[in-house]
Amino acid sequence: MENCKAGDKVKAIDIAHIDRGSKVRKKDLVVQEIPLTILLNGTEVATLLCSPEKLDFLIAGYLLSEGFINRDTKLGPIDVNPKGWYAQVTAEGKVTLFDGPARTRLVTLGCGGSLSFYRTIDAPGHELLSSSLRISCHKISEFMKEFQSRSVTFRKTGGVHACALCDENKILCYAEDIGRHNALDKIIGECFLKGLSLQNSVLLTTGRVSSEILIKLLKAKVPVIVSRSAPTSLATELAQKMGITLIGFARGTRMNIYCGESRIDTNDKTPLKT
Amino acid sequence: MENCKAGDKVKAIDIAHIDRGSKVRKKDLVVQEIPLTILLNGTEVATLLCSPEKLDFLIAGYLLSEGFINRDTKLGPIDVNPKGWYAQVTAEGKVTLFDGPARTRLVTLGCGGSLSFYRTIDAPGHELLSSSLRISCHKISEFMKEFQSRSVTFRKTGGVHACALCDENKILCYAEDIGRHNALDKIIGECFLKGLSLQNSVLLTTGRVSSEILIKLLKAKVPVIVSRSAPTSLATELAQKMGITLIGFARGTRMNIYCGESRIDTNDKTPLKT
């Protein structure tokens, strides 16, 4: 990890750029990736590959999303050592350290270290997510426009995903990471540490929407997800079962509503500001 | 998993398409995602979220890449049950079933279920990958052009990654998956099951190149990787240390060589066929 300073999100390296067989040496920016090992109450629980930014939010969100802690757990200070990229965190109250067989049926998908226990899906009788949120497609297009203009690292390197959380009026928080799961966990962690509810919020993402993303949303009780990209079949099925509104390919004034249409108001036809 | 037939890579679902506040109901294709649980000699080792295609290759490649088996292990028939999406496989010889602490320092990154044990990176004295392969940038551009024209599912759904393996002359095998790690494991598994060496091959990918992808390449002894997308800082550092040629943003006649330039011949300036 030489040349890797804490907080640096991009790194300049020497490359050879080729065009039609002609070679030019130049500097290029690549997105930073670090392996972050998390110790919870002294036990190593995971090593995430992630962008070195908002690591406290990432750790809190990861532990919560993956069921190591719950909303009533009291987290102590999160102590990140940037030299070795490990973090120690203590938790009081409900703490689950998976061990042996409980760990086997795990699932890892999508950019951004995460263990999701597929028993979550298997578990019968998950409650339908209830939320009174209603939002216009016009507002969603406005959010997506602002969201994309924020992603400086993406524009520099083409190598990160971004997530943002909005209420009915504005973007509340924003996170980037090389992993789309990590970006979402950073948002979930930030809200957890700040005591914010996600119950009437809209999650924006640049990444594809797979079943694991849906499971994270369900646990965090986020009722609406809007992606620039495609969902998978399993994600659309889960969204339907869970009562989550799933929107994909949200670009400009266009979007596809895969399910949960009743939360989206199409009557507001105000043109997008350019 | 209703409506999910074995082998179906895409699924037609009803959506509401919005454009400037006008709603049109239509059919849309989404890419299939299934949870596949792997039992190795009767022990559940992982559940991967993946595309339901070439699952035998995926399973063999995953077990090999992640160190459950090695090249000398004899795999029995791979028995995939499409109804419950689980697969049973037996192995004779070297089989490592990780248990307890060995499993903790794992890393999960990138689209496509994988456990990579970060001890691989930590392990000192990894041999530099040796290969006499030399290839022209012109040939690489030709490969990328053919590679991209193959991805039918991507063009239908925008939801999959693809990988292909080439020798100096042609594309040898091709795989798609919702996860970029899975797509690579399918290639590695196919070569393992068919007894093909990867030592003088070039790996093409649509996906971003993170450290885990590099570790898989190192284990499989693939000397050159070419991506349409961006690498991370850790991937470029690892490629340098491992002696792997890493090329990113290969589009049209352009590409960036991040390291291992000596394997790439820039003298061939034949124009690309259009």
Side-chain angles (χ1 to χ4, degrees), chain A residues 19, chain B residues 141 144 148 227-230 248-255:
Chain A
D19 190 7
Chain B
S141 296
M144 285 305 278
Q148 283 175 243
S227 169
R228 241 192 87 75
S229 307
F249 291 106
R251 297 170 188 194
T253 54
R254 296 181 185 188
M255 64 194 74

Side-chain angles (χ1 to χ4, degrees), chain B residues 12 23 26-27 42 46 53 65 71 73 117 129 136 155 168 188 217 219-220 234-235 246 251:
Chain B
K23 193 188 292 184
K26 61 175 201 171
K27 286 271 179 200
E53 188 196 37
S65 284
R71 293 195 173 273
T73 310
F117 300 90
L129 202 139
S136 74
R155 275 176 286 147
E168 286 144 316
I188 291 170
L217 293 178
K219 286 185 186 163
L234 193 50
L246 170 56
R251 297 170 188 194

Side-chain angles (χ1 to χ4, degrees), chain B residues 58-152:
Chain B
L58 173 61
I59 292 163
Y62 176 81
L63 294 175
L64 191 64
S65 284
E66 303 308 327
F68 291 97
I69 61 171
N70 69 18
R71 293 195 173 273
D72 301 320
T73 310
K74 208 179 153 193
L75 274 191
I78 299 173
D79 179 20
V80 180
N81 181 333
K83 281 196 181 164
W85 293 113
Y86 64 86
Q88 305 204 50
V89 55
T90 53
E92 275 174 51
K94 174 86 175 154
V95 176
T96 309
L97 292 169
F98 302 102
D99 193 31
R103 202 157 192 172
T104 56
R105 204 161 195 206
L106 53 84
V107 167
T108 63
L109 174 90
C111 316
S114 73
L115 305 176
S116 284
F117 300 90
Y118 245 59
R119 290 186 176 122
T120 315
I121 286 185
D122 300 333
H126 240 308
E127 286 167 48
L128 222 64
L129 202 139
S130 74
S131 164
S132 57
L133 180 80
R134 201 173 153 84
I135 191 164
S136 74
C137 55
H138 175 73
K139 194 73 204 170
I140 288 175
S141 296
E142 275 190 355
F143 281 160
M144 285 305 278
K145 198 178 157 202
E146 187 186 337
F147 174 52
Q148 283 175 243
S149 71
R150 282 218 198 175
S151 187
V152 179

Side-chain angles (χ1 to χ4, degrees), chain A residues 121-128:
Chain A
I121 285 186
D122 299 335
H126 240 306
E127 288 168 46
L128 222 62

